[in-house]
Amino acid sequence: MLQIMKYHFRILLRNREQMFWILLFPILLGIMFKVAFSNISSSEIQKPVSIAVVEENNSDALKNIKTFLEKTELKDGVALFVPTYCTEEKAVSLLKDQTVDGILYTDDSASDTVTLSLTVSSSSSDTVRMNQSILQAFVKQYNSSVSAIADTAKNHPENLEALLQSLSEQVTYTKEVSLNKHNTDTYTQYFYNLMSMACLFTSLSGLYVSLNNQGNLSAIGARRNVSPVHKMKVIIAELFSNVIFQFICNLVSFAFIVLVLKIDLTYHLPLAILTVFVGCLTGTAMGFFVGAIGAFSEGTKQGILVSGSLLLCFLSGLMVGNMWIIVENTCPVINRISPAALISRAFYTLGIQDNLNQYYQCILTLIGISALFCLGGFLLTRRKRYASI
């Protein structure tokens, strides 16, 4: 059996088509994912809001507004606003050119209290609308603070110092709490599904194990059926060689994604490697089973495996990120039996959860599916007799 495995390893190394789909294609697709999603992630980072402040005079109120704007931070000392102090005519021009997101005016006509008013333009841009919402919230907060100070100074001057102290502090009403110690990027799920696709593409090598052991489907199969070596011994040796070989290839892809593309898939690293192995086992068993069905041509069975694998990966979220959720809401049984969904879900569970019960359910289900595929393939290939080969 070791001799059979050694020769089968050599055959696998010389199969350029399989090496491309199993080793190079996931790496190339991973590079494209990295380029695409890094641009998306950078565009989603909140940037400072550009505003024009009408500066008709250098009053004390305007100085207070300048100080207030400078102290309003976005994160880590980065200013939330980038103000441009100018005349009203210039401010209107900047707003029309979309250089700024809004115009701030000081308004002291209604009372002795100087408040702010805001002018914005209509825009279809999500970013501009979000910035305008931030400006509106800022103006509302500022006016509320000024009104509170004026009212307290008039009616309860003894409380003024405490009020000013409380307003000068940055108060946070929400707190970001991580469910675990992991920091999972939204787009990491695409790389989970990429590894899932790489595992399922090992089905092409499992297909050849089945074809090369059936006398009516290949010349190699015809010779093996008249050889003295027991067919089950050859099939088991070749399947085992396939799983080990494809596992090594997928580990290379996994290492490239982690070390070169800097996508952190290493949470519970031993279990992540186990997921890759079980995924390769499932993919190889699936190819072996499909190859044993009927007397269809090699090209037909290859088409079935490739299109079927891509369909399963699509349903698990490789092309559309929220497809897994859509399937879960409409037909959850698909997510319970689809190898692609189970593999990606196993990686996902390792990445965000400390409770690994769902992970072990996915792994055990994949092992069960692999066993069924292998059993079905053995039953379809054993003891076949041919009238003529």
Side-chain angles (χ1 to χ4, degrees):
M1 183 175 288
L2 293 177
Q3 193 74 3
I4 297 173
M5 291 176 61
K6 183 180 72 173
Y7 284 119
H8 195 65
F9 258 101
R10 292 181 180 179
I11 293 172
L12 292 171
L13 284 171
R14 294 173 182 173
N15 193 322
R16 296 181 180 179
E17 181 182 356
Q18 288 190 48
M19 290 291 289
F20 171 78
W21 286 108
I22 296 171
L23 182 60
L24 294 181
F25 183 70
I27 290 177
L28 294 175
L29 192 58
I31 293 174
M32 289 188 287
F33 279 175
K34 177 65 175 180
V35 173
F37 298 145
S38 60
N39 291 336
I40 294 175
S41 298
S42 61
S43 66
E44 290 181 347
I45 298 174
Q46 175 63 44
K47 298 179 180 179
V49 181
S50 298
I51 56 174
V53 181
V54 176
E55 188 179 29
E56 298 294 352
N57 54 65
N58 196 22
S59 63
D60 292 337
L62 185 59
K63 292 179 180 179
N64 292 335
I65 292 171
K66 288 181 178 181
T67 303
F68 201 83
L69 289 173
E70 292 172 356
K71 288 184 177 181
T72 307
E73 296 181 355
L74 176 62
K75 184 179 180 182
D76 299 331
V78 179
L80 175 59
F81 299 112
V82 179
T84 300
Y85 301 98
C86 56
T87 63
E88 182 176 2
E89 182 180 355
K90 179 64 175 178
V92 172
S93 176
L94 292 175
L95 185 62
K96 288 181 179 179
D97 296 338
Q98 297 185 348
T99 305
V100 296
D101 300 310
I103 303 174
L104 287 179
Y105 298 88
T106 57
D107 184 8
D108 57 358
S109 59
S111 65
D112 294 335
T113 303
V114 179
T115 58
L116 290 178
S117 61
L118 174 69
T119 298
V120 297
S121 63
S122 60
S123 174
S124 59
S125 170
D126 292 337
T127 302
V128 173
R129 287 201 301 266
M130 180 178 66
N131 290 345
Q132 291 173 351
S133 298
I134 293 174
L135 282 172
Q136 290 168 352
F138 166 76
V139 170
K140 183 178 180 180
Q141 179 187 3
Y142 180 86
N143 290 339
S144 298
S145 300
V146 170
S147 177
I149 292 173
D151 182 69
T152 303
K154 181 179 180 180
N155 300 317
H156 303 283
E158 69 278 5
N159 298 331
L160 183 59
E161 183 178 354
L163 176 62
L164 292 174
Q165 178 65 28
S166 64
L167 291 176
S168 64
E169 297 175 352
Q170 292 290 337
V171 181
T172 303
Y173 297 99
T174 60
K175 182 179 181 181
E176 182 179 353
V177 178
S178 176
L179 297 178
N180 57 21
K181 60 185 178 181
H182 310 314
N183 183 18
T184 305
D185 192 298
T186 305
Y187 300 102
T188 307
Q189 61 177 326
Y190 287 97
F191 292 93
Y192 298 152
N193 284 284
L194 177 61
M195 287 304 306
S196 176
M197 182 199 70
C199 290
L200 290 190
F201 273 1
T202 63
S203 59
L204 295 174
S205 63
L207 170 66
Y208 288 108
V209 174
S210 185
L211 296 179
N212 291 338
N213 283 282
Q214 295 185 74
N216 62 328
L217 297 181
S218 67
I220 296 177
R223 291 196 296 269
R224 287 181 177 177
N225 273 272
V226 296
S227 70
V229 182
H230 196 280
K231 181 186 288 188
M232 285 298 106
K233 182 179 179 180
V234 174
I235 291 177
I236 292 173
E238 290 188 349
L239 284 175
F240 189 73
S241 298
N242 268 286
V243 173
I244 298 300
F245 181 81
Q246 308 306 334
F247 173 59
I248 294 173
C249 290
N250 276 281
L251 278 184
V252 174
S253 300
F254 181 84
F256 181 86
I257 291 173
V258 172
L259 300 177
V260 179
L261 301 183
K262 305 299 182 181
I263 306 298
D264 197 353
L265 306 179
T266 57
Y267 302 124
H268 304 285
L269 181 59
L271 296 180
I273 294 175
L274 174 64
T275 306
V276 176
F277 178 80
V278 175
C280 293
L281 174 64
T282 304
T284 302
M286 182 175 69
F288 175 61
F289 175 72
V290 172
I293 299 175
F296 304 108
S297 66
E298 176 182 329
T300 300
K301 293 183 177 181
Q302 279 184 338
I304 292 173
L305 284 174
V306 172
S307 58
S309 297
L310 290 177
L311 175 61
L312 293 176
C313 290
F314 169 76
L315 295 176
S316 69
L318 178 63
M319 295 79 169
V320 181
N322 63 341
M323 184 54 65
W324 189 92
I325 299 175
I326 295 174
V327 174
E328 184 70 16
N329 292 332
T330 55
C331 188
V333 67
I334 295 177
N335 288 335
R336 304 296 179 271
I337 62 175
S338 168
L342 291 169
I343 295 170
S344 62
R345 200 64 186 173
F347 278 114
Y348 180 82
T349 304
L350 291 178
I352 69 165
Q353 296 182 10
D354 290 322
N355 187 340
L356 300 181
N357 289 337
Q358 188 177 34
Y359 168 80
Y360 291 118
Q361 290 176 7
C362 293
I363 293 298
L364 291 176
T365 304
L366 286 169
I367 293 174
I369 292 174
S370 303
L372 290 177
F373 279 144
C374 287
L375 179 61
F378 285 137
L379 293 176
L380 292 172
T381 56
R382 67 190 292 270
R383 294 185 180 179
K384 282 190 175 180
R385 296 181 179 274
Y386 309 98
S388 174
I389 56 173

